[in-house]
Amino acid sequence: MATQIEVPERLTFPSNCETVSADMRIPEPSLDAALLRRLYSYMLKCRTVEERIRNQFRQGRFSGNYFAAVGQEATEVGVTIDLLPEDTIAPSHRNFITHIMKGTPLNLLFAQIYGRNTSPDRGRSSPAHCGYAALNIITPASTIAAQLNIGTGIALAYKMKRVPNVVVALSGEGSTSLGLWHEAINFAAVHKLPMLVVIENNGWAESVPVALQTAVADISTKALGYGIPGATVDGNDVVAVYRAAQEGILRAREGKGPTLLECKTYRWYGHSEIDPAKYRDPAEVHEWKRRDPIPRMEAYLDQRKLWTDEWKQELLAGFEKEIEEAIAFAEASAFPEAEEALDHVFSFSIRDRELHRKTWEPVLDQRR
Amino acid sequence: MAVMTYIDAINSALREEMARDDHVFIIGEDVGKMGGAFKATKGLQEEFGVERVIDSPLAEGVIISSSIGAAMEGMRPVAEIQFADFITPAMDAITQQAAKLRYRSAGTQTCPLTVRVCYGGGVSGGLYHSQTNTSWFIHTPGLIVVAPSTPHDAKGLLKSAIRDDNPVMFFEHKKLYRSVKEEVPEGDYTLPLLKASIARPGKEVTAVSYGYTLQLTLQAAEKIKQQFGAEVEVIDLRTLAPLDKDTVLESVARTSRAVIIHEDNRTLGVGAEIAALIAEEAFDCLDAPIIRVTAPDIPAIPFAPPLEEFYMPSTEKIVTALEQVLRY
Ligand SMILES: Cc1ncc(C[n+]2csc(CCOP(=O)(O)OP(=O)(O)O)c2C)c(N)n1
Ligand SMILES: [Mg+2]
């Protein structure tokens, strides 16, 4: 059962977690048709891109690892669609696909996966850790809750500069156990910072189930302890996520402070591409696959005569073409030069002194 | 010119920088109404308002990480860590985020923040109000680590730190705050961040130090001159990372002898690095073994006076070391 908790300023989030297992119906929204169709097509694009990335990894086309959010698209799309270019996304390891909603070109994303010199960070961060300065996506550290913490400062600067921008921070339920998480939420609450703090509760932090992470049923109830609004929504219902996120984002833009939004969802695959996830009950995985956010939205759009299989195939063909081009771009791009490893440590170059050891001779005439 | 204490110099640098650039703001524990535990930010909240002098929650991690984010967004935060001993909750923010952001984004995202850290012993502060942990940060590429030893340097270097595009750890020795006074220009001036200075020229032995022990080293140099007539060249590192290697090595090439003095622990302190550097690049210049005068490798500064004295470098300990290399 989801809990709608008492908060200083109560929100009206449509918390429909209860309805998920009953009939998996998406609630009647008052969203316009074009938006509904875009929510759907973004989910489809994210799924298509990530399944392709996984495939590329299995084929050994890139090294490292990847953290797929397959199964979690409703959350990823619902909280990041329609942000302004000046708004910031503070992503974690599992939020690579939020780039798609923000508008980072697919070419750059595949160059990132491939570690090439055309990627936003010129091959520095590992594949799923991608930032993009031009669209205010923080280049993520792997440290859990790090970008949420940095995001508080970006939000503080927005507030100081009196601009109506927001920071959307995403992290998993595992992040909420860290002291760092607490410091960030508390600080954002005290200073009424323009933030939407999204907890993607996918039930697992690597092999650790959520019950060993927290003793609360709904992570959003933690909001109460910080004096901010919180809500839990069905993270596989893109409309519910979107409406809740919009409410939080609006509050933030209006200077009313941060909102904690928990989206209950599930990752279909292992923690990463090298994790067979043997620790999970196959029945659990099966049940969550039944709640796949994409067919649910299809059924809903179909009811409203907003979906045809033809349109879907058209979308898929478009995505495939874009992906092919992006892969070709990435594979044609060079790796960075080895000595570039010495660049961007500081605002000035350290190459010269690092590469050339000096030899000093005694200055004899000055000796005792 | 005005005669200023070290703390006055810090306060005046902060005030002038805040007046010069409205992106500069201060955040830390008790920095507002109270003006900081040591009064470094005294009067600034009154002058610039609560938005620009922020009394943070008691949370070092988010003091630094919020500063990182604000810096990314074009602000110039100056964060205060009340005691170096309590910087550990901010270690992720400093070493994993501030130090690596420019690198991990290939220069596309940067965080020009200044972290003022009050450090150092010799004040009966005990285990948790005396620590010198500069080595942790020297060992973290991506951070500029500054530790001025005089009021004049403190003001000029703090202004440079605030204007610099890199994250700067700015270590202020609490024993220097009120113990040294000197003439400091009243108006605007800056000092180069990556340059050591020759605090006292000499030609028979090079003594390298920074911060409070630099003052002790100057006293020791004077004693050596009086007792032995020998001229000690005292180098004030000013910036501990990245190190101004050439100023040190050029001096050793002239003097052929080196003593390194610091209050941080011995193992992997900046003295170890400098000794290795001399061995690698100026081996032929040496006429005597290199000696380090440092704190011993014990966890922190114990409280009782004889214990604290045992820990701290002193003028006498430095004189003994200088004498030893001069006699070699
Ligand atoms: C501070 C920290 N500790 C441990 C790790 C290693 N690690 C990476 S992801 C992860 C699990 C994260 O779980 P969760 O927050 O629920 O996010 P999810 O992977 O489910 O999206 C762990 C333990 C890390 N990156 N950072
Ligand atoms: Mg999880």
Side-chain angles (χ1 to χ4, degrees):
Chain A
M1 276 287 290
T3 320
Q4 191 87 37
I5 58 164
E6 286 291 330
V7 290
E9 188 186 344
R10 209 177 146 87
L11 291 197
T12 54
F13 291 162
S15 177
N16 70 336
C17 275
E18 312 92 312
T19 67
V20 180
S21 46
D23 55 4
M24 304 202 312
R25 246 198 341 240
I26 289 180
E28 191 65 30
S30 52
L31 306 178
D32 75 63
L35 174 59
L36 290 169
R37 279 161 61 99
R38 282 195 319 117
L39 287 167
Y40 169 76
S41 66
Y42 269 126
M43 288 200 293
L44 195 63
K45 185 168 185 180
C46 288
R47 172 80 51 97
T48 311
V49 167
E50 281 206 311
E51 288 293 12
R52 187 56 183 273
I53 291 171
R54 298 184 64 239
N55 201 33
Q56 298 288 106
F57 182 76
R58 281 196 301 275
Q59 287 180 19
R61 306 281 279 275
F62 66 91
S63 58
N65 205 348
Y66 187 77
F67 307 89
V70 172
Q72 306 181 193
E73 293 88 349
T75 297
E76 305 267 329
V77 172
V79 302
T80 59
I81 193 173
D82 291 343
L83 289 174
L84 304 171
E86 300 79 18
D87 294 334
T88 289
I89 293 181
S92 296
H93 55 291
R94 205 170 299 288
N95 310 118
F96 185 76
I97 51 176
T98 58
H99 277 274
I100 293 174
M101 278 63 78
K102 203 86 201 304
T104 310
L106 228 48
N107 281 2
L108 301 188
L109 297 183
F110 275 89
Q112 176 76 24
I113 294 288
Y114 276 74
R116 300 303 159 99
N117 69 1
T118 48
S119 74
D121 63 17
R122 301 185 64 85
R124 279 145 190 267
S125 304
S126 49
H129 297 79
C130 184
Y132 191 43
L135 288 172
N136 286 356
I137 301 176
I138 302 174
T139 306
S142 296
T143 323
I144 300 295
Q147 285 66 248
L148 165 67
N149 271 266
I150 292 172
T152 63
I154 292 176
L156 180 67
Y158 287 157
K159 189 182 162 193
M160 286 173 149
K161 294 197 268 185
R162 296 184 165 68
V163 292
N165 295 113
V166 300
V167 175
V168 175
L170 297 98
S171 57
E173 81 290 349
S175 72
T176 66
S177 308
L178 275 162
L180 278 178
W181 189 85
H182 160 78
E183 287 196 27
I185 307 291
N186 184 56
F187 184 76
V190 168
H191 288 281
K192 283 199 181 311
L193 300 181
M195 296 185 82
L196 177 67
V197 179
V198 180
I199 299 306
E200 258 182 300
N201 181 354
N202 60 10
W204 295 87
E206 291 204 39
S207 69
V208 179
V210 63
L212 295 180
Q213 210 67 249
T214 176
V216 300
D218 294 313
I219 284 169
S220 64
T221 58
K222 295 191 181 203
L224 192 58
Y226 298 97
I228 62 169
T232 292
V233 295
D234 174 3
N236 280 17
D237 177 341
V238 73
V239 172
V241 174
Y242 175 81
R243 289 161 64 99
Q246 285 301 307
E247 202 164 334
I249 288 169
L250 188 68
R251 286 188 78 249
R253 287 204 205 284
E254 288 176 346
K256 294 178 180 162
T259 301
L260 178 62
L261 177 62
E262 178 192 22
C263 302
K264 288 194 167 152
T265 181
Y266 200 77
R267 66 166 155 79
W268 280 15
Y269 305 120
H271 171 66
S272 71
E273 291 310 306
I274 55 170
D275 170 24
K278 294 257 169 62
Y279 43 80
R280 302 195 301 197
D281 181 351
E284 179 184 287
V285 181
H286 181 78
E287 169 53 24
W288 276 95
K289 284 193 172 174
R290 215 173 58 78
R291 302 178 198 177
D292 186 343
I294 294 176
R296 277 171 76 185
M297 191 60 176
E298 267 169 24
Y300 174 75
L301 290 174
D302 197 26
Q303 268 174 26
R304 299 185 120 209
K305 307 260 177 291
L306 294 172
W307 184 89
T308 61
D309 191 51
E310 217 175 22
W311 175 54
K312 178 180 181 178
Q313 297 313 321
E314 219 172 89
L315 285 174
L316 286 173
F319 301 152
E320 292 295 352
K321 183 164 172 290
E322 202 185 334
I323 291 169
E324 285 310 326
E325 284 167 10
I327 289 176
F329 172 83
E331 291 188 346
S333 298
F335 282 113
E337 304 277 343
E339 285 175 6
E340 277 189 46
L342 292 170
D343 296 343
H344 305 300
V345 178
F346 295 108
S347 58
F348 47 87
S349 174
I350 60 163
R351 275 197 191 214
D352 188 42
R353 198 63 173 85
E354 285 295 317
L355 292 173
H356 306 292
R357 201 171 116 180
K358 292 193 185 175
T359 346
W360 298 79
E361 299 299 330
V363 182
L364 292 170
D365 56 335
Q366 297 222 3
R367 298 277 180 102
R368 282 195 295 169
Chain B
M1 290 282 195
V3 174
M4 280 193 196
T5 60
Y6 194 100
I7 198 87
D8 292 339
I10 297 287
N11 184 268
S12 131
L14 290 171
R15 175 174 286 107
E16 287 178 20
E17 288 306 292
M18 290 188 80
R20 183 188 61 82
D21 177 357
D22 59 14
H23 293 92
V24 178
F25 74 94
I26 290 171
I27 182 166
E29 292 158 13
D30 306 299
V31 296
K33 214 165 209 163
M34 180 169 142
F38 291 89
K39 301 283 179 282
T41 55
K42 188 175 165 198
L44 298 180
Q45 193 182 62
E46 243 165 68
E47 193 170 336
F48 298 102
V50 289
E51 261 209 8
R52 291 184 65 197
V53 184
I54 302 173
D55 271 326
S56 73
L58 203 168
E60 284 76 10
V62 80
I63 289 173
I64 304 303
S65 48
S66 66
S67 297
I68 294 169
M72 284 177 76
E73 200 45 45
M75 305 300 288
R76 290 275 163 169
V78 183
E80 177 175 306
I81 297 290
Q82 202 166 67
F83 290 92
D85 316 59
F86 310 125
I87 203 166
T88 36
M91 283 308 267
D92 178 74
I94 295 169
T95 65
Q96 300 298 330
Q97 315 311 328
K100 294 177 176 54
L101 181 67
R102 175 187 290 274
Y103 193 76
R104 74 182 187 234
S105 69
T108 61
Q109 290 170 330
T110 61
C111 55
L113 77 147
T114 303
V115 183
R116 294 183 38 249
V117 188
C118 169
Y119 80 104
V123 293
S124 289
L127 296 169
Y128 292 99
H129 291 79
S130 303
Q131 293 170 28
T132 296
N133 43 29
T134 44
S135 296
W136 299 350
F137 307 96
I138 298 170
H139 197 71
T140 305
L143 301 175
I144 293 182
V145 183
V146 181
S149 66
T150 70
H152 170 268
D153 287 6
K155 181 170 173 184
L157 289 170
L158 182 53
K159 281 167 156 275
S160 297
I162 293 170
R163 297 178 198 186
D164 194 77
D165 287 336
N166 301 286
V168 180
M169 303 296 296
F170 194 89
F171 280 84
E172 302 166 6
H173 199 296
K174 63 176 82 69
K175 191 156 177 154
L176 289 174
Y177 274 157
R178 290 182 172 80
S179 65
V180 282
K181 275 188 188 167
E182 69 179 355
E183 297 247 308
V184 173
E186 265 163 305
D188 187 41
Y189 70 96
T190 58
L191 293 171
L193 272 190
L194 307 177
K195 199 86 193 82
S197 74
I198 296 179
R200 177 184 171 117
K203 53 186 200 291
E204 276 138 301
V205 54
T206 300
V208 185
S209 191
Y210 67 89
Y212 171 60
T213 51
L214 191 280
Q215 296 291 346
L216 302 182
T217 304
L218 286 173
Q219 289 166 18
E222 187 53 35
K223 285 197 172 155
I224 290 286
K225 168 150 175 129
Q226 282 162 15
Q227 287 171 24
F228 305 94
E231 293 289 358
V232 181
E233 176 143 301
V234 179
I235 294 189
D236 185 348
L237 288 174
R238 282 180 172 168
T239 294
L240 312 181
L243 211 50
D244 177 3
K245 300 172 179 175
D246 293 355
T247 296
V248 175
L249 293 167
E250 187 272 334
S251 172
V252 174
R254 277 189 286 106
T255 64
S256 77
R257 290 171 159 78
V259 173
I260 309 145
I261 304 101
H262 59 69
E263 195 180 315
D264 205 338
N265 302 108
R266 169 171 297 247
T267 298
L268 296 184
V270 73
E273 182 56 33
I274 290 172
L277 191 66
I278 295 170
E280 274 183 352
E281 298 195 0
F283 186 75
D284 289 343
C285 302
L286 285 178
D287 281 342
I290 299 164
I291 292 189
R292 286 178 287 165
V293 180
T294 69
D297 286 333
I298 57 177
I301 304 191
F303 174 70
L307 303 181
E308 181 167 35
E309 255 166 57
F310 180 83
Y311 179 99
M312 292 292 288
S314 65
T315 308
E316 293 68 41
K317 291 177 192 173
I318 301 166
V319 167
T320 308
L322 288 169
E323 211 184 310
Q324 208 179 322
V325 294
L326 282 167
R327 284 183 195 279
Y328 183 82

